[in-house]
Structures are given as structure tokens and as C-alpha cells.
Amino acid sequence: MDGPMNTQDLTQLTATQARGLIRSGDITALDLTRACLGRIAARDDAVRAWITLNPQAEAEAAKITPDDTRPLAGIPVGVKDMIDTADMPTTHNSPLYGTNRPANDAPCVEILRAAGAIILGKTDTTEFAAAGRNAITGNPHDVTRTPGGSSSGSVAAVGDGQVPLALGTQTGGSTIRPASFCGDFALKPSWGLISTEGVKRYSVSFDTVGLIARSVADLSLLADVYALPPAPALHKGRLRIGITQTPFADLLEPETHDLFRNLPERLAPVADLMDFDLPDGFDVVDDLHRCVMFSEGASAMLNMARTRGALLHKDFHDRVEMKMGFTRRDHFEAYDKLAMLRIDLEQRLSDVDALIAPSAPGFAPVGRTPGNPVFNAPWTAMQVPVVNVPVAGLPLPLGISVIGKRAFDRQVLDVAARLAGCL
């Protein structure tokens, strides 16, 4: 470094950059943590990304030394407030859990701490990451707009420079869509690769811990921390990329239509794009996803419906009472149909290096609603890895989804890294 960095510079570092500077002694973990806390203090009245901050964060950061070889030593991380932390409440943004103090960290948090991360605090979320109360968080690029949900606080905190990394979750589109709205890089890993123990369960077939960051390199760093499996090496030549606007293209906003028209030109330096034929029957995959999600959610919320009465939001009572239009028999038939679609999709993915699809209908809408997950839920239902890559040069953040085969998360990250340089 040519000279000391100011606080504003520190809040714009990626985790990878910050880790290198801590290792070299150019900054300390305490410098970085204080810069993040300062940014939160300056912006919290507007963005409101946090439910709880860790009062011990500075003391924990002060113990990190330059020779600490742990991969996240001294890096502040935000944790969605429906993931258990032993030293802070886990409220699920629900009045029913305002005093909930878990005895243990969720395994996904325990792994972060073992890697040396500083858990800076708990971020706001849609209630139980499902329905009910919306997060009060605003989009850092325009606080009249939603950051998206349900991982609202996590994506807003990263997008606003309040923290370099955060954990979210995705059951429908709760990591990828808000990352698109807030201009973040994000990975929805292949289902089952990161433990969801200690994470509020809603739909066990889909619930996935999501990773939110400022670069693909940061996501790759987290992939190492979470021991995501190796994948076949990506070839060095031009990429062969499938492209789809999904069967729901009529729901896309004009800005996304314009983006997809221009993608071949944007990506021409590194990739050849070709139309991708989705499996027959993919037009009902959103219905199948909702059938399974609502049915499993009914089981997950039954205990609270029986014991908390009117204190539990009406949304959850409606789901427990199966008012969403599905039967339990539909639920089991949906399992089988989704399994067949996964097999067909993966066979088709063998013909390309990755698939590109919209990450959201368009720019973040005004208000605090989570946003429409229709462009995310199909890939969640397919249990495949998805990376949101932000697109530069637009009036508001907007991203594309890079999709690959299950357990090929690292290959999808490699594709995303190559594409990101042109976006």
C-alpha cells in the first residue's frame, strides 16, 4: 500500500482484499471492524439492515493477529436472524421469538467462527424467512425500494458496505433475487451441501444456506470454508453458455428484456450464447415448487399454529390449514415430477458450460415486499447451484443467474468469474 486507507476505503474492500491487507499488516482486523460499525452507525437510520449487533465484535477483532492463518481471520460477517447464534438472540423477525437465546451456534455459524470470522450481528429477515412480517430494511441504492426478501438485511448490509460477507437462506428466491436488487454477488449452493441444522426450517426439500459477498473470489473463499466439493476443471477456451428467460418471460420488466437482448454483445469476448431448451413440463415447475414448499411449510409451522393461536401471523395459519390450493397427495406427486425434471435438466446441462437466466423480474420495486421469486424458485426446486452476477452500467442494480449441475458449484463459480469481467 502507498499509504493508510481511510474508513470509507475499508468499507469498500472485498473480503479477499481485506484478508490480504490484514495478513500483510497494512490494516488490522480491528480497523476493519470499526470501519464496518462506523458505516452502520452512519447509514442505519436509512437502511436498517440489522436486528442485533455483536457488542463483543471489537474485542474479538482485537485478538486477530497478522500471522493468523485461518481463511476468514478478522473478516466481519452478517448472519440472517433466523440462523442460530449462541451469543446473540435469534428472533426470526417474529414477536414470538423476541427473547429467544439459542444454546448453540448453528453449524454454518460455527464453521465461520472456526475460520476466524467476526460475527458482526444478526440481519433483518422476512418473518421466519417465509411470510408474515416483512423486514423493515431499505435498499441501499434507493431506500424507497425493497432490498428483496427474505434475506433482506444480509444483502442490504453487503450492498451498502456495512459488511463484506453475509449469510442468507433460500427456499424460493431469498438469496439470489435480493442479491440482484442490491448489486451483490451471491451463491445459492446445491441443496444439502451446507448443513441447515440450527436454521429455521420451512421446506426441508429446498431450504439452503446462501452466501452473499462482493466478488466471485469472495464466494470461492466461502466455498473453501464450507468444503464445497471439487468439480471438473473448466476448459480454457471460449465458454458455451445456454440462455433462457424461462417459461415466465412475460413477467419480466423492460429493463430485463433489454439486458437479455444485449447479453450476446456484452459477453462476446468470452462466450458464445445459444438458446437453451428447457425440459418438457418446465412450465409447471413453479407450481410444483410451491406445492412442496407450502406442504412442507404446513408441517413445519403446525406446532406454532396449535400453541400460539392468534399470536401467529395469519399467513402461517392459512398455510397450516392448506388454504394454498394443494393437497397432501399433490405434495407427493410433485416430489416425483420434480425428480424427473431434475434428471432431464442435468442431461441438457451437459451440452453447455453453464446456463444463464434472469435473477429477478427487473429492478427492485418500491416498498418492502420481498419480490416475485418466479425466476428463482425453478432452480431451487431443481436443487442446482446458482450464482448471481451483478451487471454494470444500469440505473439500479440488476443481475443474471449462472446455473450449473448439482455439486458443480465450483465450476459455476469459475464460469461466473469469467462472465463477470464483461458484465
Side-chain angles (χ1 to χ4, degrees), residues 119-282:
I119 306 303
L120 199 63
K122 305 298 286 294
T123 56
D124 206 352
T125 173
T126 307
E127 189 171 0
F128 298 116
R133 300 199 308 179
N134 292 322
I136 60 174
T137 309
N139 190 306
H141 301 275
D142 176 354
V143 294
T144 69
R145 297 173 183 266
T146 181
S150 60
S151 303
S152 311
S154 290
V155 294
V158 172
D160 196 50
Q162 297 181 19
V163 72
L165 300 174
L167 294 187
T169 63
Q170 181 156 312
T171 303
S174 293
T175 292
I176 297 299
R177 183 184 65 262
S180 178
F181 288 166
C182 290
D184 300 335
F185 288 86
L187 169 64
K188 195 290 291 184
S190 301
W191 177 80
L193 293 186
I194 299 178
S195 172
T196 56
E197 180 185 351
V199 179
K200 179 60 180 172
R201 299 282 177 84
Y202 188 70
S203 176
V204 294
S205 295
F206 304 139
D207 292 343
T208 307
V209 173
L211 310 178
I212 302 156
R214 293 195 186 132
S215 70
V216 176
D218 286 359
L219 294 176
S220 295
L221 177 62
L222 287 171
D224 291 340
V225 168
Y226 284 106
L228 299 190
L234 194 63
H235 61 83
K236 301 296 185 183
R238 288 179 63 78
L239 295 171
R240 182 179 169 87
I241 302 294
I243 188 166
T244 180
Q245 294 186 33
T246 81
F248 317 106
D250 59 332
L251 298 176
L252 290 171
E253 299 293 340
E255 58 266 23
T256 308
H257 281 301
D258 290 344
L259 170 61
F260 271 70
R261 276 194 295 269
N262 294 329
L263 274 180
E265 181 179 352
R266 281 182 179 258
L267 298 178
V270 296
D272 297 314
L273 272 59
M274 59 212 66
D275 290 337
F276 186 87
D277 292 326
L278 293 165
D280 293 340
F282 210 78

Side-chain angles (χ1 to χ4, degrees), residues 75 86 111 137 148 179 185 191 204 239 310 346 352 362 369 374 379 388 400 412-414:
I75 303 300
I111 289 166
T137 309
F185 288 86
W191 177 80
V204 294
L239 295 171
E346 292 221 335
V352 294
T369 58
V374 70
W379 315 119
N388 180 68
I400 61 169
V412 175
L413 286 169
D414 287 345

